[in-house]
Amino acid sequence: MIIVTECSQWQEIRKTLAHKSIGLVHTMGNLHPGHISLCQRSQKDNEVTVVAIFVNQTQFNNPDDYRYYPRTLEQDKQLLHQQKVDYLFIPTYEDMYPDNYQIQVLETGEIGAHLEGEHRLGHFTGMLTIVLKHLNVIRPTHSYYGEKDYQQLMLIEKMAKALFLPVTIVGCPTIRADNGLALSSRNNRLSEESRVKAAKLPVILRDSLTVDDAFERLTDLGFKVDYVCDRWDRRLAAVWLDNVRLIDNIAHDKLGKRETSNIKI
């Protein structure tokens, strides 16, 4: 595995890969089996796989969330080396934001106006800006994102299409722990007791007849609920537990009997 720390360094390497298919797995580090599954999909699809690790402060609407985001770079390197990833891209803030974030990708469409966009002001602007930068620097043929962040995936697909980016955006299934909890770096901040409780989130989303029912059941269990919503053929939710924000979604064809409802805030 070759480690690249500067955009200019990668640009020279990229010239040698002109005729190869390249997969990008774009992460903020603290890697878990969900990230590794994206690497495996990229390695299956492409001749070269690049993993980017960059804790992007511009997409954190809460400064404490950025400050406490787990940083495990040495462990991440070992995991990627074991996975036989070809390149690891670890740029600095100064390299990715030479303008100090003056130029931004502003998302004003319907997809980003609600749910995460409403509860995390500025998040999608920071996220889309760094994704566009990585896609422009790495110039992959394919880029891989998990369906757990479903709204994010839809926005990246929309941006790539709208800006004529020469890349295929690939959504990959959510990877879950044995108890059903969607894997996330944020889970590391949960107590053992709260992890058990957090595993009830996907169960309630899947089994509740309506979003109103899901909202009530989650609240009764002690979750602070930002939203539960049926949209885009998914049931999506964001909740708080131990001051940790968790999101999840279940495809409608995985639900039992249900009644599609408007958003519940």
Side-chain angles (χ1 to χ4, degrees):
M1 184 176 70
I2 297 175
I3 297 177
V4 180
T5 59
E6 298 179 358
C7 293
S8 58
Q9 181 187 0
W10 172 256
Q11 287 164 346
E12 290 303 310
I13 294 172
R14 184 64 177 82
K15 294 175 184 178
T16 70
L17 305 173
H19 302 295
K20 293 184 179 294
S21 58
I22 300 175
L24 170 64
V25 178
H26 186 172
T27 83
M28 292 201 296
N30 193 226
L31 304 182
H32 53 65
H35 297 114
I36 299 304
S37 74
L38 300 181
C39 296
Q40 292 169 340
R41 175 65 186 274
S42 174
Q43 290 172 311
K44 179 182 177 181
D45 293 349
N46 303 281
E47 297 167 272
V48 175
T49 290
V50 182
V51 173
I53 294 180
F54 182 72
V55 185
N56 180 43
Q57 66 187 76
T58 68
Q59 70 189 66
F60 287 86
N61 61 307
N62 182 343
D64 286 340
D65 206 14
Y66 171 71
R67 186 178 305 114
Y68 295 122
Y69 189 88
R71 291 159 172 84
T72 55
L73 183 57
E74 292 308 312
Q75 177 182 313
D76 294 344
K77 288 179 180 178
Q78 292 179 13
L79 285 173
L80 296 174
H81 179 75
Q82 292 169 4
Q83 187 56 36
K84 299 182 179 180
V85 164
D86 299 292
Y87 295 93
L88 172 58
F89 182 55
I90 319 174
T92 64
Y93 177 90
E94 290 74 21
D95 212 14
M96 295 308 295
Y97 290 104
D99 64 336
N100 199 25
Y101 196 44
Q102 294 182 52
I103 304 300
Q104 305 173 6
V105 178
L106 299 179
E107 204 294 316
T108 58
E110 176 64 22
I111 293 176
H114 305 290
L115 306 184
E116 294 300 288
E118 185 174 352
H119 287 270
R120 301 183 66 190
L121 298 179
H123 165 65
F124 283 142
T125 293
M127 180 275 293
L128 289 173
T129 300
I130 196 60
V131 168
L132 180 60
K133 286 172 177 282
H134 273 87
L135 293 177
N136 281 334
V137 171
I138 303 299
R139 290 188 291 136
T141 53
H142 302 79
S143 195
Y144 297 83
Y145 303 89
E147 290 183 351
K148 179 179 73 68
D149 298 281
Y150 195 73
Q151 194 176 9
Q152 169 182 284
L153 171 61
M154 294 179 68
L155 285 169
I156 294 171
E157 290 175 331
K158 179 181 177 183
M159 178 180 70
K161 182 177 180 179
L163 298 182
F164 307 104
L165 301 180
V167 61
T168 299
I169 303 301
V170 182
C172 299
T174 300
I175 305 299
R176 299 182 180 275
D178 290 341
N179 64 3
L181 178 63
L183 296 185
S184 170
S185 298
R186 296 172 187 268
N187 295 351
N188 293 332
R189 295 169 54 194
L190 294 170
S191 67
E192 287 300 320
E193 180 182 357
S194 290
R195 286 196 190 200
V196 173
K197 182 182 290 188
K200 298 182 184 298
L201 171 60
V203 175
I204 290 172
L205 293 181
R206 186 182 303 113
D207 294 346
S208 297
L209 294 180
T210 67
V211 295
D212 290 351
D213 180 32
F215 187 96
E216 183 176 350
R217 291 174 65 187
L218 289 166
T219 301
D220 288 346
L221 277 174
F223 290 91
K224 178 180 177 294
V225 182
D226 276 353
Y227 61 79
V228 182
C229 176
D230 282 343
R231 187 169 292 179
W232 309 309
D233 293 323
R234 298 258 164 173
R235 177 164 291 171
L236 307 101
V239 301
W240 292 85
L241 194 61
D242 276 359
N243 292 318
V244 178
R245 193 171 187 272
L246 305 172
I247 64 172
D248 204 344
N249 68 85
I250 306 291
H252 273 179
D253 60 10
K254 303 296 184 183
L255 302 180
K257 294 180 180 180
R258 66 183 185 278
E259 173 184 312
T260 302
S261 172
N262 292 328
I263 189 169
K264 174 72 174 181
I265 298 293

